[in-house]
């Protein structure tokens, strides 16, 4: 009887990858990699204005905007600013809400225009429209400012699942969300 070989699972593959990287570490100038996982924050929200400190960062200029109504181009614009502060409630981050933010509607068949953030935030109240279009100035996030000044910044990072927290944390730890697109308690035991 022939013995079938199984492919290594995600954990075994990750361990093999780490061992391979560790054997090359002595020849590499990179000694430490730190991965920061933030709770429902975008790059532009936290680090977008760091472009002022380092023009090579693909951050924001203040010319970025969203229409107040994605299906009506003459509805007015909300420009990206640097007045970020504690936001409560959070902007929507369910799979459906993020689809609306990215596509400007529930129809995901067209191009991802990234023009529905203000429109979707209006469902949470008028004060949310400005909140979603603001990032922190470098002086408001001094720890990040210092880290950006000393280390490399990967400015092209994206959520693995356009959805809530748990599926993306599952991706960080295991390279899959197991199909999860919401904070379903069934998946929490994976941690």
């Amino acid at each position: 009887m022939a013995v079938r070989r199984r492919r290594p699972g995600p954990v075994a593959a990750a361990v093999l990858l780490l061992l391979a990287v560790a054997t090359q570490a002595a020849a590499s100038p990179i000694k430490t990699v730190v991965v920061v996982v933030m709770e429902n924050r975008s790059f532009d929200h936290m680090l977008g204005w760091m472009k002022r400190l380092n023009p090579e960062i693909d951050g924001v200029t203040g010319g970025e905007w969203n229409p107040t109504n994605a299906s009506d181009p003459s509805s007015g614009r909300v420009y990206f600013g640097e007045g970020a502060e504690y936001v409560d409630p959070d902007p929507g981050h369910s799979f459906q809400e993020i689809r609306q933010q990215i596509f400007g509607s529930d129809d995901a068949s067209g191009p991802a225009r990234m023009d529905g953030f203000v429109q979707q935030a209006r469902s949470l109240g008028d004060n949310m429209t400005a909140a979603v279009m603001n990032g922190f100035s470098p002086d408001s996030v001094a720890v990040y400012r210092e880290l950006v000044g000393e280390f490399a910044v990967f400015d092209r990072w994206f959520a693995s699942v356009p959805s809530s927290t748990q599926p993306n944390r599952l991706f960080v730890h295991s390279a899959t969300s197991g199909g999860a697109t919401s904070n379903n308690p069934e998946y929490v035991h994976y941690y």
Side-chain angles (χ1 to χ4, degrees):
M1 170 167 51
V3 176
R4 290 183 63 189
R5 290 184 160 216
R6 292 180 50 203
R7 290 181 17 192
V11 173
V15 169
L16 291 173
L17 178 62
L18 287 173
L19 288 173
V21 170
T23 60
Q24 297 297 320
S28 173
I30 298 173
K31 300 297 180 208
T32 304
V33 174
V34 176
V35 177
V36 178
V37 180
M38 294 183 278
E39 177 69 18
N40 303 318
R41 299 290 176 235
S42 72
F43 180 87
D44 289 341
H45 181 76
M46 296 304 298
L47 301 176
W49 290 107
M50 298 293 174
K51 182 180 186 100
R52 291 177 178 160
L53 304 177
N54 180 349
E56 293 185 38
I57 293 175
D58 187 13
V60 296
T61 65
E64 301 81 14
W65 58 273
N66 253 198
T68 56
N69 182 337
S71 61
D72 179 7
S74 65
S75 64
R77 296 177 176 184
V78 177
Y79 284 86
F80 196 81
E82 61 179 295
E85 56 186 52
Y86 178 75
V87 178
D88 188 27
D90 276 342
H93 52 275
S94 70
F95 187 77
Q96 179 180 0
E97 290 165 326
I98 291 175
R99 183 177 57 230
Q100 292 168 355
Q101 293 162 4
I102 293 171
F103 293 97
S105 72
D106 287 324
D107 180 8
S109 64
R113 297 182 318 264
M114 304 298 284
D115 65 353
F117 290 89
V118 170
Q119 175 179 287
Q120 196 283 318
R122 286 178 63 207
S123 67
L124 300 171
D126 287 337
N127 64 327
M128 288 301 294
T129 59
V132 300
M133 294 299 289
N134 270 293
F136 288 101
S137 69
D139 289 338
S140 297
V141 283
V143 171
Y144 289 117
R145 182 190 66 223
E146 294 303 313
L147 289 170
V148 165
E150 296 293 323
F151 300 100
V153 174
F154 291 93
D155 53 13
R156 288 293 182 160
W157 53 274
F158 306 89
S160 300
V161 181
S163 185
S164 47
T165 304
Q166 300 307 338
N168 283 289
R169 287 190 179 160
L170 288 168
F171 252 99
V172 166
H173 296 293
S174 60
T176 182
S177 71
T181 59
S182 68
N183 289 340
N184 185 334
E186 172 184 335
Y187 293 98
V188 175
H189 72 272
Y190 287 133
Y191 297 107

